[in-house]
mmCIF file of all heavy atoms in Angstrom:
data_model
loop_
_atom_site.group_PDB
_atom_site.id
_atom_site.type_symbol
_atom_site.label_atom_id
_atom_site.label_comp_id
_atom_site.label_asym_id
_atom_site.label_seq_id
_atom_site.Cartn_x
_atom_site.Cartn_y
_atom_site.Cartn_z
ATOM 1 N N ASN I 206 -15.614 -4.557 13.503
ATOM 2 C CA ASN I 206 -17.049 -4.842 13.610
ATOM 3 C C ASN I 206 -17.880 -3.674 13.080
ATOM 4 O O ASN I 206 -18.872 -3.263 13.688
ATOM 5 C CB ASN I 206 -17.433 -5.156 15.058
ATOM 6 C CG ASN I 206 -18.819 -5.785 15.152
ATOM 7 O OD1 ASN I 206 -19.286 -6.449 14.216
ATOM 8 N ND2 ASN I 206 -19.493 -5.574 16.270
ATOM 9 N N TRP I 207 -17.443 -3.155 11.929
ATOM 10 C CA TRP I 207 -18.161 -2.063 11.281
ATOM 11 C C TRP I 207 -19.127 -2.632 10.253
ATOM 12 O O TRP I 207 -18.716 -3.152 9.220
ATOM 13 C CB TRP I 207 -17.192 -1.107 10.583
ATOM 14 C CG TRP I 207 -16.399 -0.255 11.528
ATOM 15 C CD1 TRP I 207 -16.618 -0.072 12.859
ATOM 16 C CD2 TRP I 207 -15.243 0.527 11.203
ATOM 17 N NE1 TRP I 207 -15.690 0.781 13.392
ATOM 18 C CE2 TRP I 207 -14.830 1.171 12.401
ATOM 19 C CE3 TRP I 207 -14.521 0.745 10.032
ATOM 20 C CZ2 TRP I 207 -13.726 2.022 12.445
ATOM 21 C CZ3 TRP I 207 -13.420 1.589 10.073
ATOM 22 C CH2 TRP I 207 -13.035 2.228 11.267
ATOM 23 N N GLN I 208 -20.406 -2.545 10.528
ATOM 24 C CA GLN I 208 -21.435 -2.972 9.590
ATOM 25 C C GLN I 208 -21.809 -1.756 8.736
ATOM 26 O O GLN I 208 -22.834 -1.128 8.933
ATOM 27 C CB GLN I 208 -22.651 -3.504 10.342
ATOM 28 C CG GLN I 208 -22.330 -4.620 11.304
ATOM 29 C CD GLN I 208 -21.787 -5.858 10.610
ATOM 30 O OE1 GLN I 208 -22.271 -6.236 9.533
ATOM 31 N NE2 GLN I 208 -20.786 -6.479 11.208
ATOM 32 N N ALA I 209 -20.931 -1.404 7.815
ATOM 33 C CA ALA I 209 -21.092 -0.168 7.053
ATOM 34 C C ALA I 209 -20.727 -0.390 5.598
ATOM 35 O O ALA I 209 -19.958 -1.294 5.266
ATOM 36 C CB ALA I 209 -20.208 0.929 7.653
ATOM 37 N N LYS I 210 -21.264 0.451 4.742
ATOM 38 C CA LYS I 210 -20.921 0.402 3.324
ATOM 39 C C LYS I 210 -19.541 1.011 3.124
ATOM 40 O O LYS I 210 -19.227 2.057 3.697
ATOM 41 C CB LYS I 210 -21.949 1.151 2.481
ATOM 42 C CG LYS I 210 -21.649 1.129 0.986
ATOM 43 C CD LYS I 210 -22.768 1.724 0.165
ATOM 44 C CE LYS I 210 -22.398 1.799 -1.321
ATOM 45 N NZ LYS I 210 -21.994 0.489 -1.876
ATOM 46 N N ALA I 211 -18.722 0.343 2.299
ATOM 47 C CA ALA I 211 -17.368 0.833 2.027
ATOM 48 C C ALA I 211 -17.299 1.454 0.637
ATOM 49 O O ALA I 211 -17.744 0.856 -0.345
ATOM 50 C CB ALA I 211 -16.371 -0.310 2.153
ATOM 51 N N TYR I 212 -16.722 2.637 0.580
ATOM 52 C CA TYR I 212 -16.478 3.342 -0.677
ATOM 53 C C TYR I 212 -14.964 3.362 -0.886
ATOM 54 O O TYR I 212 -14.237 4.002 -0.116
ATOM 55 C CB TYR I 212 -17.028 4.768 -0.613
ATOM 56 C CG TYR I 212 -18.514 4.830 -0.379
ATOM 57 C CD1 TYR I 212 -19.038 4.752 0.913
ATOM 58 C CD2 TYR I 212 -19.407 4.964 -1.436
ATOM 59 C CE1 TYR I 212 -20.403 4.802 1.144
ATOM 60 C CE2 TYR I 212 -20.780 5.016 -1.223
ATOM 61 C CZ TYR I 212 -21.263 4.938 0.073
ATOM 62 O OH TYR I 212 -22.617 4.993 0.290
ATOM 63 N N VAL I 213 -14.487 2.653 -1.907
ATOM 64 C CA VAL I 213 -13.049 2.551 -2.120
ATOM 65 C C VAL I 213 -12.664 3.237 -3.425
ATOM 66 O O VAL I 213 -13.441 3.264 -4.382
ATOM 67 C CB VAL I 213 -12.584 1.078 -2.139
ATOM 68 C CG1 VAL I 213 -13.003 0.367 -0.859
ATOM 69 C CG2 VAL I 213 -13.123 0.331 -3.348
ATOM 70 N N ILE I 214 -11.445 3.775 -3.458
ATOM 71 C CA ILE I 214 -10.973 4.481 -4.636
ATOM 72 C C ILE I 214 -9.467 4.280 -4.787
ATOM 73 O O ILE I 214 -8.723 4.328 -3.807
ATOM 74 C CB ILE I 214 -11.341 5.984 -4.569
ATOM 75 C CG1 ILE I 214 -10.977 6.711 -5.868
ATOM 76 C CG2 ILE I 214 -10.734 6.660 -3.345
ATOM 77 C CD1 ILE I 214 -11.589 8.095 -5.987
ATOM 78 N N GLY I 215 -9.025 4.027 -6.025
ATOM 79 C CA GLY I 215 -7.615 3.824 -6.304
ATOM 80 C C GLY I 215 -7.320 4.072 -7.765
ATOM 81 O O GLY I 215 -8.229 4.329 -8.564
ATOM 82 N N ASP I 216 -6.037 3.944 -8.129
ATOM 83 C CA ASP I 216 -5.659 4.306 -9.504
ATOM 84 C C ASP I 216 -4.723 3.320 -10.183
ATOM 85 O O ASP I 216 -4.395 3.479 -11.352
ATOM 86 C CB ASP I 216 -4.984 5.681 -9.506
ATOM 87 C CG ASP I 216 -3.543 5.616 -8.999
ATOM 88 O OD1 ASP I 216 -3.323 5.075 -7.890
ATOM 89 O OD2 ASP I 216 -2.645 6.104 -9.706
ATOM 90 N N GLU I 217 -4.243 2.284 -9.461
ATOM 91 C CA GLU I 217 -3.232 1.393 -10.036
ATOM 92 C C GLU I 217 -3.683 -0.063 -9.995
ATOM 93 O O GLU I 217 -4.744 -0.392 -9.467
ATOM 94 C CB GLU I 217 -1.912 1.546 -9.281
ATOM 95 C CG GLU I 217 -0.819 2.280 -10.057
ATOM 96 C CD GLU I 217 -0.338 1.513 -11.290
ATOM 97 O OE1 GLU I 217 -0.682 0.319 -11.456
ATOM 98 O OE2 GLU I 217 0.375 2.121 -12.105
ATOM 99 N N SER I 218 -2.851 -0.931 -10.570
ATOM 100 C CA SER I 218 -3.199 -2.345 -10.663
ATOM 101 C C SER I 218 -3.376 -2.986 -9.292
ATOM 102 O O SER I 218 -4.223 -3.870 -9.122
ATOM 103 C CB SER I 218 -2.136 -3.100 -11.475
ATOM 104 O OG SER I 218 -0.841 -2.868 -10.951
ATOM 105 N N ASN I 219 -2.589 -2.568 -8.301
ATOM 106 C CA ASN I 219 -2.756 -3.165 -6.968
ATOM 107 C C ASN I 219 -4.015 -2.688 -6.262
ATOM 108 O O ASN I 219 -4.381 -3.221 -5.206
ATOM 109 C CB ASN I 219 -1.519 -2.921 -6.098
ATOM 110 C CG ASN I 219 -1.283 -1.455 -5.790
ATOM 111 O OD1 ASN I 219 -1.622 -0.568 -6.580
ATOM 112 N ND2 ASN I 219 -0.686 -1.186 -4.654
#
Side-chain angles (χ1 to χ4, degrees):
N206 194 28
W207 288 347
Q208 304 297 320
K210 180 173 175 55
Y212 299 84
V213 304
I214 186 167
D216 76 307
E217 252 294 349
S218 53
N219 65 330

